[in-house]
Amino acid sequence: MSKQRPLALRCPLRGSRLIEASAGTGKTFTISALYLRLVLGHGEGDSAFSRELLPPDVLVVTFTEAATQEIKDRVRARIINARDALLGKKPDDELIEQIINEVTDKHAAFDLLDAAAKSMDEAAIFTIHGFCQRMLKQHAFESGVAFNLEFILDERELIQETLNDFWRAFVYPQSKERTQAITDIFPVPASLYSQVVSLLNKQGATITPEYDLGDIWQARDNFVAKVPAFKTACRESEFINAVKASDLSGSKTPGRKNSLAALEEYISNEELFFVFGTSKYSFEVWSTENLSDPANYKKNGSLLSHEMLAQFDEMATLSSLINNGLNIAIVQYAAKWVASALAKRKQEQGVITPDDLLSNLHQALLSEQGHALSEKIAALFPVAMIDEFQDTDPIQYGIFSRIYGIKNTTLAMIGDPKQAIYGFRGADIFTYIGAKQAVLQDKQYTLDTNYRSSEGVVDSVNRLFAKNENSFIY
């Protein structure tokens, strides 16, 4: 049986492709080989790109300066080795030898490789931020981004200043009661910082659950208005005595002495909110659902029916919405306010940050001029290879899917999805999954030979996870 050709030789060079590559499986080896094939116009029919390309035509994007330099060095070395092989030098690279053997016009191939070697200093191998910055400057008219912006790496001070503005605009006009409710959760503006920044960093993602702050305030007002009547009804209906006289087990939360003592204290004092115990119990302890559960009763005990259960249900619903929702609603409201105000502040000060480069290009591609911008970038770089694609997020994937959704372009996404779960550089596993689903099954590949691990270790790990059919959630 003949040995299968390496993926680097047989992978078609047109359209969208996904290559999943674990550490040690030859990812950079494959990228440099595909690059060499693109320079030579290697392949037949649909497996080849429509023309030969020079380094300035092939976009390679990764996430660090060190990685860009490594890829550039590897590509340069491979091009030079292939060029020298055409001069008769024996290559120490079996793949180069295979490609050279398949080249029909050796003189033309030498010229292509020589030109490529000489133009490697202009190779379009960039970090994601470097690529976006170049495109925004080069296409300032279509992107709507000014030329003379000051580039800043740290925007923490700007965010904190904007958050202070938010605090003054949001908290100061509130009533005494609402101000207290806010400061009970967030005592000072700085206490909002980390949660707001977390949302700012995921502006392209759908955040769930999403709470409307107005709805939470309304729920709180409704709750506060109902508290006096609830306490009165609880006392007058002698609910606590009814529980004590029922078959509820004294070892279960609804029937415990401590629980009933906490409830009795609440309906007798002036407190609005009711929370007790280390588990932060509240009204739900005596909800219809809980008091309909036989597990809360003595053996063969009768279920307790009482007119107060509907009110406990209502108070539990409102209390839960307030306790769980107010924190989230304030953060979500603050993040939207800060995002808008921060963009205005940056515009006024003439500054731009690394993340702005991505979001600005993404917005430009979605604008009225977006299609024209996509076409211009695709004309510059008809082929793109995205390294470390597992570190993508909705903004980054949105940029490349928009550009390379155009005909006669190639987008090769190369990465290790297992690493996406760690969230490096804002990576989003669900964006990766969505991108994978957008690529046809027969255009998805896996580098399945690991060159860094021993065979015994790999076999042992595979056997371990093969024991469960659903070892991997994603």
Side-chain angles (χ1 to χ4, degrees):
M1 186 172 65
S2 60
K3 184 180 178 182
Q4 187 180 39
R5 284 160 62 82
L7 176 62
L9 283 178
R10 60 186 165 83
C11 180
L13 300 176
R14 293 193 188 191
S16 292
R17 310 283 161 179
L18 178 74
I19 301 174
E20 296 191 337
S22 299
T25 57
K27 178 168 61 72
T28 307
F29 174 94
T30 301
I31 290 173
S32 60
L34 294 176
Y35 201 109
L36 179 61
R37 289 179 58 204
L38 287 163
V39 168
L40 287 169
H42 176 270
E44 296 179 355
D46 289 339
S47 70
F49 194 67
S50 55
R51 60 183 175 88
E52 301 92 350
L53 299 170
L54 285 171
D57 304 324
V58 182
L59 176 65
V60 180
V61 175
T62 188
F63 286 86
T64 67
E65 293 290 352
T68 61
Q69 191 58 51
E70 181 191 359
I71 291 174
K72 187 174 288 189
D73 290 344
R74 295 277 289 274
V75 168
R76 187 195 303 270
R78 208 152 212 180
I79 288 172
I80 292 173
N81 287 342
R83 181 195 64 185
D84 292 348
L86 287 167
L87 293 174
K89 183 178 179 180
K90 178 71 174 175
D92 56 358
D93 185 330
E94 185 180 340
L95 187 134
I96 288 179
E97 195 169 2
Q98 287 182 267
I99 292 177
I100 295 303
N101 288 338
E102 294 173 11
V103 169
T104 53
D105 190 337
K106 300 291 195 288
H107 290 290
F110 176 85
D111 291 339
L112 289 169
L113 291 171
D114 190 49
K118 291 174 179 176
S119 62
M120 272 305 296
D121 286 342
E122 288 79 49
I125 301 175
F126 309 129
T127 64
I128 178 70
H129 296 97
F131 165 71
C132 291
Q133 186 174 29
R134 282 171 171 80
M135 294 305 97
L136 289 171
K137 283 188 174 182
Q138 196 165 336
H139 304 286
F141 176 75
E142 291 86 354
S143 67
V145 176
F147 284 104
N148 58 343
L149 296 176
E150 178 189 355
F151 192 71
I152 60 171
L153 293 175
D154 190 346
E155 62 177 339
R156 285 176 294 184
E157 187 176 341
L158 278 178
I159 294 174
Q160 189 58 65
E161 289 173 358
T162 309
L163 202 50
N164 291 340
D165 290 345
F166 165 76
W167 191 266
R168 285 187 286 269
F170 172 64
V171 178
Y172 290 4
Q174 300 288 353
S175 66
K176 179 181 178 182
E177 290 76 16
R178 288 190 177 181
T179 299
Q180 186 64 52
I182 295 167
T183 55
D184 282 347
I185 305 171
F186 301 106
V188 293
S191 57
L192 265 169
Y193 184 90
S194 62
Q195 293 184 57
V196 167
V197 168
S198 179
L199 290 189
L200 292 178
N201 290 337
K202 296 186 178 297
Q203 289 189 55
T206 300
I207 306 297
T208 56
E210 185 170 9
Y211 288 103
D212 181 88
L213 186 57
D215 291 344
I216 302 298
W217 285 133
Q218 184 60 57
R220 191 176 188 280
D221 291 344
N222 290 345
F223 176 86
V224 170
K226 291 178 181 295
V227 167
F230 170 83
K231 290 184 175 184
T232 299
C234 203
R235 291 193 301 267
E236 292 180 352
S237 68
E238 297 189 348
F239 176 75
I240 293 175
N241 287 335
V243 171
K244 290 178 179 178
S246 73
D247 288 333
L248 280 162
S249 171
S251 63
K252 301 294 183 179
T253 305
R256 280 195 191 117
K257 288 182 179 180
N258 290 345
S259 301
L260 295 173
L263 178 60
E264 188 160 16
E265 181 182 356
Y266 172 70
I267 64 176
S268 303
N269 62 28
E270 300 298 321
E271 295 293 328
L272 290 172
F273 294 92
F274 177 46
V275 178
F276 68 94
T278 55
S279 297
K280 305 293 184 184
Y281 292 122
S282 189
F283 300 97
E284 74 282 348
V285 168
W286 296 281
S287 66
T288 301
E289 181 180 359
N290 261 354
L291 297 193
S292 299
D293 183 357
N296 285 321
Y297 290 82
K298 300 169 186 174
K299 189 175 180 180
N300 299 321
S302 300
L303 300 184
L304 173 64
S305 177
H306 196 280
E307 62 190 79
M308 283 300 298
L309 299 192
Q311 290 194 51
F312 272 100
D313 291 342
E314 184 178 28
M315 298 299 279
T317 299
L318 290 172
S319 179
S320 177
L321 179 60
I322 297 162
N323 291 334
N324 297 325
L326 186 56
N327 181 332
I328 298 172
I330 291 172
V331 172
Q332 291 176 342
Y333 181 80
K336 291 175 183 177
W337 194 101
V338 169
S340 176
L342 185 61
K344 185 177 180 182
R345 186 184 291 266
K346 289 176 181 176
Q347 189 175 31
E348 290 171 348
Q349 296 184 12
V351 298
I352 192 169
T353 67
D355 286 343
D356 293 333
L357 297 172
L358 276 69
S359 58
N360 286 353
L361 181 56
H362 185 236
Q363 287 302 316
L365 290 167
L366 295 176
S367 70
E368 290 184 10
Q369 298 288 330
H371 186 68
L373 179 57
S374 295
E375 288 185 329
K376 288 188 175 183
I377 297 175
L380 276 175
F381 312 116
V383 174
M385 290 187 274
I386 314 302
D387 184 29
E388 303 288 2
F389 185 69
Q390 76 277 352
D391 291 339
T392 194
D393 64 20
I395 298 293
Q396 294 164 21
Y397 178 59
I399 290 171
F400 294 112
S401 61
R402 190 81 174 177
I403 296 169
Y404 293 96
I406 294 173
K407 286 184 178 180
N408 301 319
T409 60
T410 294
L411 175 63
M413 299 166 283
I414 305 130
D416 180 4
K418 296 185 294 299
Q419 295 183 36
I421 63 172
Y422 299 113
F424 296 144
R425 295 182 282 266
D428 177 53
I429 181 63
F430 300 107
T431 300
Y432 183 94
I433 292 171
K436 182 175 182 177
Q437 291 172 343
V439 177
L440 295 176
Q441 189 72 38
D442 63 349
K443 296 180 180 179
Q444 297 177 21
Y445 308 92
T446 300
L447 296 177
D448 55 7
T449 301
N450 195 302
Y451 298 95
R452 289 188 201 161
S453 300
S454 68
E455 186 175 352
V457 171
V458 173
D459 287 344
S460 297
V461 171
N462 287 339
R463 280 198 298 271
L464 176 65
F465 287 104
K467 289 181 180 294
N468 187 335
E469 187 177 344
N470 298 309
S471 292
F472 300 99
I473 299 173
Y474 305 120

